[in-house]
Structures are given as structure tokens and as C-alpha cells.
Amino acid sequence: MRCPVCHSADLDVFFDAGVQPVFANVLYDTREEAVAAPKGRIRLGGCPVCGFVHNVDFDPNLVAYAPGYENSLHGSPTFNAFADELASGLVERHNLNGARAVEIGGGRAEFMGLLMEAGLSEGLVMDPSSPDDSLVNSANLRIERRLFGPEDAAAGEHPTRLLLSRHVLEHVEAPKDFVGLMTNAARQVDAGVYVEVPNGLWTLRDLGVWDVIYEHCSYFTPGALRALMAQAGAETQPREAYGGQFLSAETSKVGPEADFDPAQYSADPEEAGLRARFGETFASIETRWREHLASAAAEGRRLAIWGAGSKGTTFLNNLSAEDVILYAVDVNARKVGRYIPGTGHEIISPDALRDADLDEIVVMNPIYQAEIASMAKAAGSSAEVTVV
Ligand SMILES: [Zn+2]
């Protein structure tokens, strides 16, 4: 398969994740439905030129986003602090007071709400999978459940100064078309662009092995994101954020589409080594957890994971361990009482920990370790808190 970002090399397959749930972030109302969740194959290929990583077996027909997709992170204090700071930074850098912003994706408009609190005057969120309960349109904040079109950039009471997209591009099979649509629209109205994705380099370098999910057909390292944006006229220097887990590209002005020279955007040579070692690394991390869970089972210990999102779903589907991992805990009330795709683990709230009688809680994302440890303690749990 030709690299969909730089088109200058074929992708080399370096990791086979096997068959995994198609949606790591769609939760099910019954255990039976969860266990029967649709699955798809994941084989990651990397581009030797720009460093882009893609699931070469991705089938877009399996992935149709619908309400029920739940990947909001806005329940966590750590995440909220990050989002608040990002919102006020964007308002300041793009002069959004007296202006309009359009977000592609954006679910319940939680982030757009933060931009408005930080001084943005008008916001439009375009998201076909925005949940029903979010359609609370006010005069200045609208959610439309449809795809973004170029005409949406110009409509509105105030001048549009920012087009943004957070955690959408990694779901898109043709990232070049998606970014081109954004930058063309931004160019027409002289708006800036902000794109944020999970950092593919974090997955490779910091062994975020549980981040490989079917919904994410694309993984961007800083070099690949820079190459992608540059082709669409947005020269950016992608920045890592959120403990290195996120990657963002931002510009206040989109230039003309330039002739693209892949040689200028070649990836850090270290990335090829990271890809080559990834399968081995994954296997050794998986083996360590299998051993840990087997000894926990032998001792009759009761475990839960904390984090019913991408990482939790992948972790459970690779290790299953239904006899020793009893629950998934999550702060998002919309997830509570529902079930993890593939394995059918029940999701409980932190409040339910008091009665769950757990010996160990495995935190799925290290960035939340401190807040989870204190929430678990506050909920009356004396379980040991460990990190994946
Ligand atoms: Zn490439």
C-alpha cells in the first residue's frame, strides 16, 4: 500500500495486532452484545519516508460513526486542566474574541464550550456522531450532525478565525483529503487551523502499546503530521502535549498549496528502529502482564482496570483474564453500567469501589495515576493502585 500521506513509498508492515473490536469506544448495554461486538484485523504498516503509520487492513465499511460512540475525556481533572489551558491559548493566539470558530468533530461541544468561556464569540460544531443529548443549540453555539463542507467556514455572524479538529484525523482513511478540505476552507476566509491527534511517536517510543485500536486507522508522528499539513499549505512545527501523548499542528495563516518534496520532510531515522522493535516490545509487555495476572489469579486477588476507553479495551481484549480482572472503572457516568466490547467487562463508577472489594486497580493511562489513587481512596477502596 502506497503511503497515503507522502505517496513516495509503500508502507512496510511491522506489527500484527490480530483481530480486535472495531469500536474500542462504543459501549454496550448488555454483556452478550458486548461479547458479540464486531471485530476487524489490525496490521500496522509504516512509511519509510515520512514515518506515517496506518492499519493496512482497515475497512472503512466496518466503521460507521453513530451516536453511542463515547470517547469524551472531559470527566478527568487532569484532562480538564489541559483543555482549559488549550482553549485560552487558542482564543489568545487566534484573537477569537469577536470571532467564530468551526470544529470538525467535537461530540458534545465540550471543547467549543471551553473556547466560548475563554472569550470566543460564536462556535459551530459539525459532528455526524454527536450524541442526541448534546443538541442544545444557543444563538452563539450550534451543533450540526452532518459533515463539514467548505461553505460552513464562511457562514455565521462573526468572521471565522479558526477551523479546528481534535482527535478526528486518526480515524480518517484519507487524511490528505481531510486536511485539504480544512485548509482550503480556512484559506478562503483567512482563518487559522488547529489539528490535534494522538501522538503516534508516543505509541512507538513510550510503548503506548494499548493505544493501537481499530478506529485509529492512522498514527501520526511529528514528521508525518508536518508532511501532511505542509502539502495542504500549512507549514507547522507539530508540538507534543499532554505528557507527550498528543500532537498538535497549528497555524494562524494557511499559505498556498506547495509543491511537495518528500525529502524535506523525511522522518527521524530513529523511527524506523522503533517500528522494527515494536512487535517484540508489545510481546514482552503482554507476557509480563500475563504472568502478573496468572499469579494474581493463583492468589485469589480481585482486580479492576481504571479507564474504559481505548487503552482499557485493548488491554482487556489482549489479556482477557475474566477470572481475575472483574471490572473496568470509569469516571464518565455515561459509561457506567455498560460493557466493554469484546470481553464484556462491566463498567462501574468510582463510587462502586467501596463494595467491589478489590485488591488491585490497574490504571490504564499513567497520566491519571495520581488523581485515580486519590479518587479510589476517597471512594473507600484500599486496593493497591498500579500502572499499566
Ligand atoms: Zn509517507
Side-chain angles (χ1 to χ4, degrees):
M1 182 182 185
R2 207 72 178 158
C3 173
V5 168
C6 74
H7 296 276
S8 53
D10 287 333
L11 301 179
D12 283 333
V13 173
F14 65 93
F15 178 60
D16 186 341
V19 171
Q20 298 288 339
V22 163
F23 293 111
N25 292 291
V26 168
L27 300 170
Y28 293 84
D29 292 333
T30 68
R31 194 182 303 269
E32 291 70 31
E33 286 174 278
V35 170
K39 294 187 173 181
R41 180 100 187 263
I42 304 175
R43 283 189 309 144
L44 298 183
C47 174
V49 176
C50 73
F52 179 63
V53 171
H54 189 74
N55 176 10
V56 297
D57 288 330
F58 182 72
D59 175 1
N61 296 318
L62 290 178
V63 181
Y65 289 96
Y69 189 80
E70 182 56 60
N71 67 348
S72 171
L73 299 172
H74 284 265
S76 149
T78 307
F79 184 81
N80 290 348
F82 163 76
D84 281 338
E85 195 187 323
L86 175 62
S88 50
L90 286 171
V91 166
E92 199 181 300
R93 293 192 294 277
H94 297 273
N95 194 18
L96 297 181
N97 207 317
R100 176 176 181 259
V102 180
E103 182 170 9
I104 303 173
R108 296 187 175 80
E110 287 152 318
F111 188 70
M112 191 60 87
L114 295 181
L115 285 173
M116 297 199 67
E117 276 171 31
L120 170 72
S121 301
E122 183 184 354
L124 171 64
V125 166
M126 311 212 58
D127 189 342
S129 74
S130 184
D132 285 355
D133 61 5
S134 65
L135 300 176
V136 280
N137 292 321
S138 69
N140 296 323
L141 171 57
R142 296 179 53 76
I143 299 175
E144 294 199 14
R145 282 168 85 182
R146 59 182 177 86
L147 293 171
F148 171 79
E151 66 285 356
D152 295 311
E157 301 273 311
H158 300 81
T160 302
R161 292 211 188 106
L162 183 66
L163 295 186
L164 68 152
S165 170
R166 301 180 57 241
H167 302 265
V168 174
L169 192 58
E170 67 274 20
H171 301 259
V172 172
E173 201 193 13
K176 214 173 139 181
D177 295 346
F178 181 91
V179 165
L181 182 69
M182 272 185 97
T183 54
N184 284 333
R187 194 182 290 116
Q188 280 170 25
V189 296
D190 200 20
V193 167
Y194 178 83
V195 173
E196 186 181 296
V197 291
N199 183 3
L201 186 57
W202 188 80
T203 302
L204 294 171
R205 178 194 63 201
D206 300 299
L207 310 179
V209 298
W210 311 112
D211 279 338
V212 175
I213 57 170
Y214 196 85
E215 291 115 297
H216 292 178
C217 55
S218 299
Y219 299 78
F220 295 89
T221 60
L225 185 59
R226 183 168 164 247
L228 179 70
M229 300 297 292
Q231 288 174 83
E235 265 304 339
T236 62
Q237 204 53 258
R239 280 204 306 260
E240 295 188 351
Y242 208 52
Q245 296 187 28
F246 296 168
L247 191 63
S248 65
E250 179 175 353
T251 179
S252 54
K253 190 160 182 67
V254 176
E257 274 186 51
D259 284 339
F260 179 66
D261 174 11
Q264 276 189 25
Y265 296 91
S266 58
D268 185 336
E270 195 202 345
E271 288 178 22
L274 294 173
R275 289 195 301 273
R277 288 192 296 276
F278 190 77
E280 207 176 292
T281 306
F282 183 90
S284 73
I285 292 175
E286 201 181 44
T287 302
R288 200 179 72 219
W289 277 104
R290 279 191 199 291
E291 289 168 1
H292 180 74
L293 295 173
S295 70
E299 292 163 16
R301 285 160 63 82
R302 295 166 58 85
L303 272 66
I305 64 158
W306 190 307
S310 306
K311 293 174 176 70
T313 296
T314 308
F315 182 81
L316 291 173
N317 274 276
N318 279 279
L319 297 163
S320 35
E322 281 84 357
D323 52 335
V324 56
I325 300 177
L326 305 174
Y327 303 106
V329 185
D330 206 285
V331 289
N332 183 341
R334 294 185 193 92
K335 295 184 176 183
V336 171
R338 305 177 83 188
Y339 297 85
I340 297 276
T343 63
H345 283 83
E346 186 187 350
I347 301 160
I348 62 171
S349 71
D351 292 341
L353 285 175
R354 185 185 299 277
D355 300 321
D357 189 24
L358 297 170
D359 299 297
E360 180 178 346
I361 296 169
V362 185
V363 175
M364 288 293 106
N365 189 335
I367 202 165
Y368 302 128
Q369 184 184 7
E371 74 174 56
I372 287 173
S374 70
M375 284 171 94
K377 202 170 165 200
S381 173
S382 55
E384 180 190 357
V385 174
T386 57
V387 180
V388 71

